[in-house]
Amino acid sequence: MKIQTPPGMRDFYPDDMRLQNWLFTHWRQVSLTHGFEEYEAPIFEFLDLYRLKSGDEIVSEVFSFEDRGGRNFAIRPEMTPSLARMVAARANALPRPIKWFSLPRMCRAERPQRGRLREFFQWNADVLGPEDALADAEVIAVVVAFLRAVGLGPDDVAVRVNHRRVAAAALQTLGVPADGVVAAFGLIDKIERMPADKFAAAWNDLPFASACGVDAVRGFLGEATLERCLDLAAQSGEDGAAQAEQFTQLWRQLEAFGVAGMCTFDLRIVRGLAYYTGSVFEAHPKQGGLRALCGGGRYDDLTGLLDGPRVPGVGFGMGDVPVLEFLRELDRLPSPERTLDAFVIDADADLFARALELVGHLRAAGLRVDFSYKRTGVGKQFKQATQRGARHAIVLGDELKDRNEVVIKDLVSGTQRTIDWDAFCADPKLD
RNA sequence: GUGGGUGUAGCUCAGCUGGCUAGAGCACCAGGUUGUGGUCCUGGGGGUCGCGGGUUCGAAUCCCGUCACUCACCCCA
């Protein structure tokens, strides 16, 4: 009976794993250089944890199961609820600001399609505690630093930034009632994926369409500059003015971090979730029909649903699938090679025991070293060394028998030298 | 859940107006090569042509069904 890889899931053969690790290394490296600390959580949680945040609809979109005690669990479809649970449990003991990141593997029970699988990895980074726009700016700076690290510049990607409260205040000045903002956002979120006539029809179905028509909204979304939007928001009242000031600060900080060149103001980015309460952003490829590479924003209270103290925060998630897919499309995926520091070759089968002895020395010194399982000719062993991506070949032959020396060949430059066995074992330097 | 496309070797594919034992390139293994690699030459392993049924003397090829994969829609934390 033939059993294949489950749908929407991936096998990572060593060739694939090198690429995956290349991505993880950048994710981790960028996080660490920005002062974030790594955390991890269980691969599955109580199903109720996700119900609290997302409601009952979530149940059909997660892989869930019941244990022998009748308790319901779900394989994590996102990291934020676990983060909330962990932070709530120690909210008063954790030093602030809480700057945490994670590279969790997660699953969603969806039908797989391009850029979207049932199992994937998603880099999460969050700053919890401060309400200052500085935190929002730093989180965006982390995203930009990653994009730059993998070779993506302003011609390839734009980080589109908006602010839900500012946009809401501006919409209200245009005539949208306060209780209609959520519905308006829901539609605006889809405007780029919807044909113009469908959008117009849907907008005109909204109860307040007479107060703020579809043309007014289109003009607003398409042309409003940051200044005009801030101005409209300020006119809506005291709160709008305060939010506009926050958003102004955010842009100032993005400049200070040196990442404003990758960022654009975009009113269409509102993020569907009601969960976001302040800044919102997404990184979008400039060419190709691909989805957003990442999305995030500010939320007022991470732990509120879990009966924890109020903890405001800002963060984002970035999936491995769309990022790798985009880089592949641009033909900018690296192809990391297999690597070894050295490959030990025995020119004479009598010396095989000595070869293993040397392999042991080098490995104990922390070098990545391998050798051939078969006692074949020197030529074949060199071929294996090359195939394995070895940087150096170390040959044990007549030199060892006659003068107690080994030959070290640099397989990149092709040069070789001899060195005394005892000196080399005492201090195994290859270069 | 709805609709389109595609199924031949590990990968990319050819063969498809029915007809020798189903092929190529890449990859893999072995040898050429008993002290020097990446290129070269020779050979080898690997496929119930997704699966089931039908038509036929004969099906990878034609017909029906089915399954899988894939793209899009829904959803998107």
Side-chain angles (χ1 to χ4, degrees):
Chain A
M1 182 171 186
K2 188 180 175 183
I3 301 201
Q4 52 190 13
T5 314
M9 307 214 155
R10 292 167 290 175
D11 293 316
F12 295 95
Y13 288 85
D15 282 350
D16 311 308
M17 203 61 208
R18 286 198 296 277
L19 183 63
Q20 203 67 18
N21 280 330
W22 169 83
L23 179 65
F24 289 170
T25 298
H26 280 298
W27 278 351
R28 196 166 267 129
Q29 183 67 15
V30 167
S31 303
L32 293 171
T33 56
H34 286 72
F36 287 68
E37 296 179 281
E38 188 163 1
Y39 69 99
E40 180 56 288
I43 188 70
F44 60 82
E45 295 269 7
F46 282 104
L47 180 58
D48 283 343
L49 180 65
Y50 304 108
R51 267 215 190 92
L52 278 177
K53 184 191 167 214
S54 307
D56 285 339
E57 319 82 72
I58 197 73
V59 175
S60 63
E61 291 161 26
V62 298
F63 288 101
S64 58
F65 62 94
E66 196 175 285
D67 75 357
R68 280 180 284 187
R71 293 173 294 197
N72 287 303
F73 297 101
I75 299 177
R76 62 187 176 194
E78 58 168 327
M79 198 58 167
T80 306
S82 300
L83 174 64
R85 187 177 55 68
M86 288 170 68
V87 170
R90 300 197 185 173
N92 296 322
L94 295 167
R96 308 287 178 99
I98 298 165
K99 292 172 67 174
W100 285 4
F101 80 96
S102 195
L103 311 182
R105 179 194 288 249
M106 42 195 53
C107 292
R108 296 179 184 173
E110 298 177 294
R111 183 163 293 198
Q113 53 188 279
R114 183 172 185 207
R116 207 168 154 198
L117 301 173
R118 296 181 117 181
E119 182 188 47
F120 55 94
F121 293 86
Q122 189 191 59
W123 177 32
N124 280 248
D126 293 87
V127 177
L128 305 172
E131 299 194 60
D132 200 298
L134 189 54
D136 304 55
E138 186 167 37
V139 161
I140 292 172
V142 169
V143 171
V144 172
F146 166 78
L147 295 172
R148 287 175 174 159
V150 299
L152 295 170
D155 293 338
D156 310 307
V157 182
V159 180
R160 297 157 63 178
V161 185
N162 193 13
H163 192 293
R164 283 192 133 219
R165 304 266 277 270
V166 170
L171 280 174
Q172 286 177 54
T173 302
L174 288 176
V176 174
D179 61 4
V181 167
V182 169
F185 277 170
L187 212 46
I188 290 171
D189 184 47
K190 293 180 181 153
I191 189 169
E192 288 183 272
R193 289 166 290 185
M194 254 174 140
D197 55 330
K198 273 202 165 175
F199 178 80
W203 185 271
N204 285 326
D205 278 347
L206 294 172
F208 47 83
S210 55
C212 173
V214 67
D215 292 332
V217 177
R218 276 230 187 83
F220 173 63
L221 293 176
E223 291 155 34
T225 60
L226 178 57
E227 290 70 26
R228 164 127 172 86
C229 188
L230 290 170
D231 192 44
L232 282 171
Q235 286 174 39
S236 76
E238 220 169 277
D239 183 60
Q243 297 300 331
E245 175 52 27
Q246 270 280 95
F247 199 33
T248 306
Q249 280 297 327
L250 170 57
W251 285 98
R252 214 166 278 151
Q253 308 290 10
L254 288 175
E255 287 284 352
F257 276 114
V259 299
M262 288 280 283
C263 301
T264 58
F265 170 62
D266 196 321
L267 274 165
R268 292 167 299 187
I269 303 300
V270 291
R271 309 282 296 157
L273 294 317
Y275 162 75
Y276 289 110
T277 53
S279 63
V280 281
F281 57 89
E282 293 177 357
H284 285 261
K286 287 204 169 172
Q287 320 90 26
L290 283 170
R291 301 152 40 79
L293 301 179
C294 79
R298 172 164 286 281
Y299 37 86
D300 268 344
D301 188 2
L302 181 71
T303 66
L305 289 169
L306 301 170
D307 296 326
R310 186 180 116 84
V311 182
V314 56
F316 69 88
M318 179 185 291
D320 64 328
V321 181
V323 171
L324 293 174
E325 186 67 28
F326 182 49
L327 288 169
R328 181 170 293 120
E329 188 174 290
L330 293 178
D331 201 20
R332 284 200 222 155
L333 269 187
S335 40
E337 305 284 321
R338 311 169 82 182
T339 56
L340 278 179
D341 293 312
F343 196 90
V344 176
I345 293 170
D346 59 307
D348 184 332
D350 293 346
L351 293 170
F352 184 48
R354 303 296 305 279
L356 288 185
E357 183 189 348
L358 181 60
V359 165
H361 272 299
L362 299 177
R363 286 175 171 174
L367 295 168
R368 290 175 297 176
V369 179
D370 216 340
F371 61 95
S372 175
Y373 274 15
K374 293 198 306 185
R375 312 283 39 87
T376 59
V378 173
K380 279 280 187 270
Q381 292 186 64
F382 264 96
K383 192 170 243 170
Q384 278 186 59
T386 303
Q387 264 184 338
R388 294 296 311 279
R391 182 66 217 272
H392 302 272
I394 301 175
V395 183
L396 274 50
D398 291 339
E399 299 86 348
L400 187 63
K401 289 179 174 170
D402 301 342
R403 301 188 300 279
N404 201 38
E405 287 177 348
V406 299
V407 177
I408 300 176
K409 179 166 183 176
D410 182 321
L411 291 174
V412 175
S413 68
T415 59
Q416 64 180 45
R417 66 195 167 92
T418 59
I419 182 170
D420 178 73
W421 169 281
D422 297 311
F424 184 54
C425 286
D427 182 20
K429 282 211 180 88
L430 290 165
D431 291 304

